[in-house]
Amino acid sequence: MARTAELIIDGKSYTFPIVEGTENEIGIDISDLRDKTGAITLDFGYKNTGATKSAITFLDGDLGILRYRGYSIEELAEKSTFLEVAYLLIFGELPQTDHLEKFTSDIKNHTMVHEDVKKILDGFPSSSHPMGVLASLFCAQTAFYPESLDPNRSAEGVYLSIVRSLAKMPTFAAWAHKNAVGHPVNYPDNSLNYSARFLKMMFGLPAENYEVDPVVADALDKLLILHADHEQNCSTSTVRIVGSSKASIYSSIAAGINALWGPLHGGANQEVITMLEAIKQDGGDVEKWINKAKDKNSGFRLMGFGHRVYKNFDPRAKIIKKAADDVLGKLGVHDPVLDIAMKLEEIALRDPYFIERKLYPNVDFYSGIIYRALGIPVDMFTVMFAIGRLPGWIAQWKELRENKEPIGRPRQIYTGQKEREYIPLTKR
Ligand code: ACO
């Protein structure tokens, strides 16, 4: 028998169907709640609200499980490349050799950006945060490809937009950095793979003089895989809600980039390094900073700790912690903030405050340490996250479109003034 949930309001009972996912998670389908009862639900931060059904990513925050299209993140990080994972997320299956070759070559064909993009870039002062520049350049694609504004675009047209998004992202990202440091931009070198191409555009002075270290390119590829999707997080929900208005893929993703920027979301990776540096400057007294994080009046939180859905170890943090050790070892880098990070983790995980609230290191806790070892400046950390998250945003945007989901439009409980009389200025 189909499972149902009963809701009683003022003594009157209403029945709602229970929806079950493939991993047995359940949701109460309240699509007709307002019609039936006149009431809405109230759930600040959507902590208990399922906004969609999705077949892309499964995560179990209590068990610390993350899977893309059924494959464990651990296995994908070890065995796949970023573009394979991008293909998997967007099209649902791991690619066959010929599919991957075509996808990779289509992407390479679109890595160049219109020369006029440089004029837009020139308008940004070098003080601009690269995330703001990235979001703007991404959105500007709507100007260069106005056909992307057509909500009824053909499947081929959508594929082209997807390929263009993936192809141009590293170029925009590297150029956002070049703008910040006041250097001339480099053009993409299509003989390289995705991560190496980005590194050469970012670090080349000029590109011809820069030899990509395979250790660095491999480490970056792994980091991008770990960030590639994370179901209905803040930036992805933003992409879906903007996309639900039938806005173009470029503007939907630009909105996602902006949402990711905040320090409580992707911006945390930048904040973690700032925090670890501050602890180091302060003499390395980790206990003192833990106490500060526990003191609600301090306004300070342990950045890179805690997660809305993980109430156990973030599986990505485990992989990144090990990768940080490997990469620093291979590159012969000793970063004292890694020691501080490990000490911070060790003490926090023994502390009842963090235990009771189930606060564990999240993906951002160790990623900044690797980015630093790879020579990536702190301002670019969240940009790196955005490069990684792009396939997830695309996959979710495409799914929303294919599912023909309605426009996202939450309700509210109004708490303002009741209707009142307007008093003209002269009488106030
Ligand atoms: N340091 C200290 N205390 C914390 C922390 C932290 N990092 N995170 C949560 N808490 C405490 C809260 O003060 C609260 O305590 P209380 O119950 O006594 O009031 C409790 O833990 C629950 O926290 P909420 O803020 O209600 O949890 P929420 O799910 O809303 O927030 C978030 C999750 C935003 C990630 C939060 O843990 C945080 O601010 N972490 C630091 C920022 C960070 O690392 N963000 C990156 C997240 S991963 C990502 O987006 C890619």
Side-chain angles (χ1 to χ4, degrees):
M1 203 175 80
R3 294 164 78 189
T4 55
E6 190 186 0
L7 173 69
I8 299 171
I9 303 179
D10 297 333
K12 192 163 175 213
S13 161
Y14 304 90
T15 305
F16 297 94
I18 287 184
V19 182
E20 203 165 328
T22 40
E23 293 285 348
N24 305 325
E25 62 303 10
I26 58 165
I28 304 166
D29 179 351
I30 52 144
S31 329
D32 56 1
L33 173 74
R34 195 167 164 277
D35 286 344
K36 270 184 178 166
T37 68
I40 61 164
T41 55
L42 186 60
D43 184 20
F44 289 104
Y46 310 124
K47 292 191 178 192
N48 307 285
T49 299
T52 191
K53 287 185 190 172
S54 178
I56 302 170
T57 289
F58 171 71
L59 79 81
D60 184 323
D62 295 320
L63 297 179
I65 292 173
L66 174 62
R67 295 187 202 126
Y68 299 160
R69 302 279 189 187
Y71 297 102
S72 81
I73 189 66
E74 290 81 3
E75 221 176 351
L76 289 170
E78 194 192 324
K79 299 177 182 163
S80 272
T81 64
F82 177 62
L83 281 192
E84 266 183 273
V85 169
Y87 187 99
L88 169 72
L89 285 166
I90 297 168
F91 302 109
E93 294 296 341
L94 281 169
Q96 303 293 335
T97 314
D98 52 341
H99 293 152
L100 186 61
E101 273 169 14
K102 178 176 183 319
F103 188 52
T104 307
S105 126
D106 289 345
I107 289 173
K108 285 188 176 177
N109 279 339
H110 290 279
T111 52
M112 288 289 277
V113 300
H114 196 289
E115 275 297 286
D116 285 351
V117 170
K118 279 207 252 171
K119 293 186 192 152
I120 304 176
L121 191 69
D122 282 347
F124 285 97
S126 59
S127 56
S128 313
H129 193 289
M131 278 298 273
V133 176
L134 181 67
S136 307
L137 297 185
F138 219 99
C139 203
Q141 291 310 290
T142 51
F144 296 99
Y145 306 109
E147 67 281 5
S148 68
L149 298 172
D150 175 5
N152 302 315
R153 256 187 126 196
S154 64
E156 295 75 38
V158 169
Y159 178 76
L160 186 57
S161 294
I162 290 173
V163 160
R164 281 192 173 127
S165 298
L166 286 162
K168 294 175 200 309
M169 177 61 130
T171 315
F172 291 146
W175 286 18
H177 167 68
K178 290 296 188 194
N179 179 69
V181 291
H183 292 166
V185 297
N186 291 318
Y187 290 103
D189 175 349
N190 286 331
S191 68
L192 298 172
N193 74 17
Y194 200 81
S195 298
R197 185 162 62 240
F198 164 74
L199 290 167
K200 193 161 182 173
M201 279 189 283
M202 161 125 179
F203 290 118
L205 259 178
E208 302 79 76
N209 296 344
Y210 182 79
E211 207 49 55
V212 180
D213 180 340
V215 172
V216 173
D218 288 353
L220 178 58
D221 219 57
K222 190 186 285 241
L223 279 172
L224 298 183
I225 292 173
L226 294 175
H227 286 88
D229 194 45
H230 211 236
E231 52 118 300
Q232 309 309 316
N233 56 83
C234 174
S235 56
T236 302
S237 302
T238 302
V239 170
R240 283 189 91 120
I241 211 158
V242 174
S244 77
S245 75
K246 301 216 186 293
S248 86
I249 187 170
Y250 302 121
S251 42
S252 305
I253 288 168
I257 296 171
N258 283 318
L260 186 73
W261 193 355
L264 294 188
H265 191 15
N269 57 14
Q270 176 169 349
E271 299 295 324
V272 170
I273 289 291
T274 309
M275 172 188 79
L276 294 174
E277 278 294 345
I279 299 175
K280 193 175 119 218
Q281 298 286 325
D282 193 38
D285 185 351
V286 168
E287 297 267 8
K288 177 179 155 191
W289 287 75
I290 295 260
N291 288 334
K292 197 174 165 191
K294 288 164 25 179
D295 174 7
K296 294 281 191 286
N297 297 321
S298 71
F300 169 73
R301 281 187 168 199
L302 207 54
M303 298 314 287
F305 253 76
H307 199 278
R308 171 59 62 78
V309 287
Y310 289 119
K311 302 303 166 198
N312 195 324
F313 250 96
D314 178 337
R316 301 166 301 171
K318 274 194 200 163
I319 304 171
I320 291 188
K321 183 180 177 184
K322 187 174 170 305
D325 251 0
D326 287 355
V327 172
L328 268 63
K330 279 189 196 155
L331 297 176
V333 174
H334 175 74
D335 190 340
V337 303
L338 178 61
D339 302 331
I340 293 179
M342 300 229 255
K343 205 162 155 202
L344 207 56
E345 176 189 330
E346 191 200 315
I347 298 179
L349 293 182
R350 280 194 268 115
D351 192 298
Y353 174 96
F354 292 88
I355 295 171
E356 280 158 22
R357 290 170 180 76
K358 300 187 175 160
L359 301 171
Y360 291 87
N362 60 49
V363 68
D364 288 327
F365 194 62
Y366 287 105
S367 62
I369 293 170
I370 306 191
Y371 290 140
R372 226 155 82 127
L374 304 186
I376 291 166
V378 175
D379 261 9
M380 282 293 287
F381 287 6
T382 316
V383 170
M384 307 311 297
F385 194 151
I387 301 175
R389 184 52 54 87
L390 181 62
W393 289 332
I394 293 173
Q396 304 267 352
W397 178 89
K398 183 167 166 279
E399 184 180 68
L400 158 104
R401 198 173 181 275
E402 288 166 358
N403 288 353
K404 299 193 181 355
E405 290 183 22
I407 186 166
R409 204 295 187 191
R411 296 236 170 211
Q412 64 167 18
I413 297 291
Y414 175 68
T415 58
Q417 297 278 356
K418 282 189 171 274
E419 186 180 19
R420 49 184 169 158
E421 192 187 342
Y422 177 80
I423 300 162
L425 194 54
T426 47
K427 293 190 185 158
R428 254 177 257 162

